Amino acid sequence: MARIIILYSTTDGHTREICCYLQQQIEKSGDEVTLASLNDGPEVDLEAFDKIVIGASIRYGKHNAKVYKFIEENLSVLNKKPNAFFSVNAVARKLEKAQPDTNPYLQKFLKQMEWQPKELAVFAGKIDYQMYRFVDRFMIRFIMWMTKGPTDPNTNIEFTDWSQVDKFAQVIHEM
Ligand SMILES: Cc1cc2nc3c(=O)[nH]c(=O)nc-3n(C[C@H](O)[C@H](O)[C@H](O)COP(=O)(O)O)c2cc1C
């Protein structure tokens, strides 16, 4: 049995949902999974875990700054243990941008960071226009229009391929 921590950054909750699903799937293999939000500036002792996973969503082209800060502050312990990173974003709905080596946000992340995670994943996110504030709704509809995605203001669509999340749960269990 491994003790695994999944730290996540989310704005509208979808990355958290993916983390909860990962937790459920991984725990079926007998590992123990703890979830912690990076948005709350968690006080966690990473040394207490056997494996570390970090997941973050993209908003206006960026992962949350707290993700970078946390990684920089914990680089040495991260590098000592099996570790993984995943990004959640809307462009990953496009097949040609759905892999770690083809997703522009994940590639940018790897270029920016000293940390080079041992395992990587990209998951397509969720778009629920009615959930967003006016400006955000306007902006993400514009981004969707630019990238040939759905622009109907009543769109509530989950692009996530949960079978990919299943595969990543297995990777985490085995890493
Ligand atoms: C205001 C806003 C801006 C976004 N900007 C981007 C973006 O620049 N690129 C992208 O691929 N996805 C973008 N997305 C899509 C999110 O990454 C997607 O909705 C994801 O599921 C959000 O995860 P979260 O709920 O964990 O924050 C944006 C979403 C919103 C609401």
Side-chain angles (χ1 to χ4, degrees), residues 118-171:
K118 294 186 177 121
E119 300 292 346
L120 293 167
V122 181
F123 302 123
K126 179 178 173 177
I127 296 296
D128 180 359
Y129 288 129
Q130 290 306 315
M131 193 180 174
Y132 310 137
R133 291 176 309 170
F134 177 79
V135 176
D136 286 339
R137 187 183 315 145
F138 177 83
M139 291 303 291
I140 187 68
R141 279 182 76 205
F142 180 66
I143 293 171
M144 281 294 136
W145 178 75
M146 297 266 291
T147 60
K148 300 186 171 49
T151 52
D152 181 331
N154 292 313
T155 299
N156 177 359
I157 184 168
E158 201 177 78
F159 293 108
T160 314
D161 177 348
W162 293 97
S163 69
Q164 278 189 2
V165 188
D166 283 332
K167 283 187 193 141
F168 192 53
Q170 191 59 28
V171 167

Side-chain angles (χ1 to χ4, degrees), residues 10-15 57-61 88-91 105 125-127 132 136 140 143:
T10 185
T11 303
D12 297 312
H14 192 63
T15 305
S57 63
I58 287 288
R59 208 168 175 91
Y60 296 123
V88 179
N89 53 73
V91 299
Y105 300 117
K126 179 178 173 177
I127 296 296
Y132 310 137
D136 286 339
I140 187 68
I143 293 171

Side-chain angles (χ1 to χ4, degrees), residues 82-108:
N83 63 69
F85 177 79
F86 68 91
S87 177
V88 179
N89 53 73
V91 299
R93 75 187 186 282
K94 298 186 168 217
L95 271 184
E96 70 276 17
K97 293 186 177 169
Q99 298 302 320
D101 57 344
T102 57
N103 185 263
Y105 300 117
L106 193 45
Q107 284 304 307
K108 189 172 155 200

